[in-house]
Short mmCIF file of all heavy atoms in Angstrom, two decimals:
data_model
loop_
_atom_site.label_atom_id
_atom_site.label_comp_id
_atom_site.label_asym_id
_atom_site.label_seq_id
_atom_site.Cartn_x
_atom_site.Cartn_y
_atom_site.Cartn_z
N THR A 62 67.35 -37.96 39.86
CA THR A 62 68.80 -37.98 39.89
C THR A 62 69.36 -38.34 38.49
O THR A 62 68.71 -39.02 37.76
CB THR A 62 69.32 -39.02 40.93
OG1 THR A 62 68.96 -40.34 40.51
CG2 THR A 62 68.67 -38.74 42.27
N GLY A 63 70.50 -37.79 38.16
CA GLY A 63 71.08 -38.02 36.92
C GLY A 63 70.27 -37.44 35.78
O GLY A 63 70.11 -38.00 34.74
N ALA A 64 69.71 -36.25 36.05
CA ALA A 64 68.72 -35.62 35.13
C ALA A 64 69.37 -34.80 33.96
O ALA A 64 68.55 -34.18 33.27
CB ALA A 64 67.65 -34.81 35.91
N ASN A 65 70.62 -34.84 33.81
CA ASN A 65 71.22 -34.02 32.83
C ASN A 65 71.35 -34.74 31.50
O ASN A 65 71.67 -34.12 30.42
CB ASN A 65 72.59 -33.53 33.25
CG ASN A 65 73.53 -34.71 33.49
OD1 ASN A 65 73.49 -35.32 34.58
ND2 ASN A 65 74.53 -35.00 32.59
N SER A 66 71.07 -36.07 31.47
CA SER A 66 71.24 -36.81 30.18
C SER A 66 70.39 -38.09 30.29
O SER A 66 69.82 -38.47 31.31
CB SER A 66 72.70 -37.15 29.92
OG SER A 66 73.16 -38.13 30.92
N GLY A 67 70.25 -38.73 29.11
CA GLY A 67 69.63 -40.07 29.01
C GLY A 67 68.25 -40.10 29.55
O GLY A 67 67.40 -39.27 29.32
N THR A 68 67.95 -41.28 30.21
CA THR A 68 66.65 -41.53 30.75
C THR A 68 66.31 -40.53 31.82
O THR A 68 65.14 -40.13 32.00
CB THR A 68 66.58 -42.90 31.34
OG1 THR A 68 67.54 -43.13 32.35
CG2 THR A 68 66.66 -43.96 30.19
N GLY A 69 67.28 -39.97 32.54
CA GLY A 69 66.95 -39.02 33.69
C GLY A 69 66.47 -37.67 33.07
O GLY A 69 65.44 -37.13 33.54
N LYS A 70 67.12 -37.29 32.02
CA LYS A 70 66.68 -35.95 31.37
C LYS A 70 65.31 -36.17 30.71
O LYS A 70 64.47 -35.31 30.87
CB LYS A 70 67.67 -35.51 30.35
CG LYS A 70 67.35 -34.16 29.66
CD LYS A 70 68.45 -33.62 28.86
CE LYS A 70 68.68 -34.42 27.64
NZ LYS A 70 69.70 -33.66 26.76
N GLU A 71 65.09 -37.28 30.10
CA GLU A 71 63.80 -37.54 29.47
C GLU A 71 62.71 -37.61 30.56
O GLU A 71 61.58 -37.10 30.34
CB GLU A 71 63.82 -38.87 28.66
CG GLU A 71 62.56 -39.24 28.03
CD GLU A 71 62.01 -38.30 26.99
OE1 GLU A 71 62.86 -37.53 26.46
OE2 GLU A 71 60.81 -38.26 26.66
N ALA A 72 62.98 -38.39 31.70
CA ALA A 72 61.99 -38.42 32.71
C ALA A 72 61.66 -36.99 33.22
O ALA A 72 60.46 -36.67 33.53
CB ALA A 72 62.43 -39.31 33.76
N ALA A 73 62.68 -36.22 33.51
CA ALA A 73 62.51 -34.87 34.02
C ALA A 73 61.66 -34.03 33.05
O ALA A 73 60.72 -33.28 33.42
CB ALA A 73 63.88 -34.26 34.34
N LYS A 74 62.09 -34.14 31.82
CA LYS A 74 61.28 -33.41 30.77
C LYS A 74 59.80 -33.77 30.68
O LYS A 74 58.93 -32.87 30.67
CB LYS A 74 61.87 -33.65 29.36
CG LYS A 74 61.28 -33.07 28.23
CD LYS A 74 61.98 -33.34 26.92
CE LYS A 74 61.37 -32.78 25.74
NZ LYS A 74 62.03 -33.14 24.51
#
Side-chain angles (χ1 to χ4, degrees):
T62 67
N65 61 283
S66 65
T68 54
K70 182 168 72 173
E71 178 64 20
K74 179 181 176 182

